């Protein structure tokens, strides 16, 4: 299962950016999806997660109120998951990864080990 994140770039402090992730819709169904990020010298950390039908959404406390996760399931073969990031801060600078799982245990949706599928990241740099 190949996930592909895109849309990263350079943005000024206080600015906005939207990144996206293309995820295949498997014969067994859709994937629960999450966004994680990793800054240099730091561990990978949870950002947000969204369930198959968008009924369940979870955010890290550090991004709540600034970031919005959403998904577009209209394409039966490939879903797109978005992360809209507003009021960006220098601390948001990281490589952002999208991840997916066929049947995510929602109580553990913030844990990287719960996701079976990962894509290459996209760099987000926030400059002052």
């Amino acid at each position: 299962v190949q996930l592909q994140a895109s849309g990263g770039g350079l943005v000024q402090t206080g600015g906005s950016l939207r990144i996206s992730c293309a995820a295949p819709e498997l014969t067994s169904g859709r994937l629960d999806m999450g966004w994680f990020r990793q800054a240099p010298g730091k561990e990978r950390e949870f950002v947000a997660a969204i369930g198959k039908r968008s009924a369940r959404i979870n955010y890290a406390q550090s991004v709540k109120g600034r970031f919005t996760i959403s998904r577009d399931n209209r394409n039966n073969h490939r879903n797109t998951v978005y992360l809209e990031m507003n009021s960006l801060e220098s601390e948001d600078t990281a490589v952002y990864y999208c991840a997916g799982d066929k049947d995510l245990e929602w109580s553990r949706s913030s844990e990287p080990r719960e996701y079976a599928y990962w894509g290459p990241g996209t760099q987000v740099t926030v400059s002052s």
Side-chain angles (χ1 to χ4, degrees), residues 39-59:
K42 295 187 177 182
E43 292 187 354
R44 190 167 298 191
E45 66 171 355
F46 171 73
V47 177
I50 188 167
K52 296 178 178 65
R53 294 175 179 80
S54 304
R56 289 183 167 182
I57 289 178
N58 187 24
Y59 292 102

Side-chain angles (χ1 to χ4, degrees), residues 50-101:
I50 188 167
K52 296 178 178 65
R53 294 175 179 80
S54 304
R56 289 183 167 182
I57 289 178
N58 187 24
Y59 292 102
Q61 193 62 38
S62 60
V63 306
K64 200 172 288 186
R66 299 188 299 122
F67 290 12
T68 302
I69 189 171
S70 62
R71 66 187 297 161
D72 184 345
N73 294 336
R74 288 174 293 178
N75 186 318
N76 291 330
H77 301 291
R78 185 170 293 274
N79 306 149
T80 302
V81 179
Y82 301 99
L83 186 68
E84 181 78 34
M85 303 180 288
N86 299 311
S87 302
L88 282 162
E89 306 165 350
S90 58
E91 291 77 14
D92 297 315
T93 294
V95 177
Y96 283 70
Y97 298 91
C98 62
D101 197 81

Side-chain angles (χ1 to χ4, degrees), residues 18-58:
R18 187 177 78 165
I19 56 178
S20 61
C21 176
E25 187 160 325
L26 309 179
T27 53
S28 56
R30 297 172 185 152
L31 297 175
D32 296 309
M33 298 294 296
W35 284 100
F36 290 78
R37 66 186 182 186
Q38 188 165 18
K42 295 187 177 182
E43 292 187 354
R44 190 167 298 191
E45 66 171 355
F46 171 73
V47 177
I50 188 167
K52 296 178 178 65
R53 294 175 179 80
S54 304
R56 289 183 167 182
I57 289 178
N58 187 24

Side-chain angles (χ1 to χ4, degrees), residues 2-23:
Q2 190 166 11
L3 309 179
Q4 184 64 54
S6 61
L10 177 65
V11 62
Q12 289 188 328
T13 300
S16 298
L17 193 67
R18 187 177 78 165
I19 56 178
S20 61
C21 176

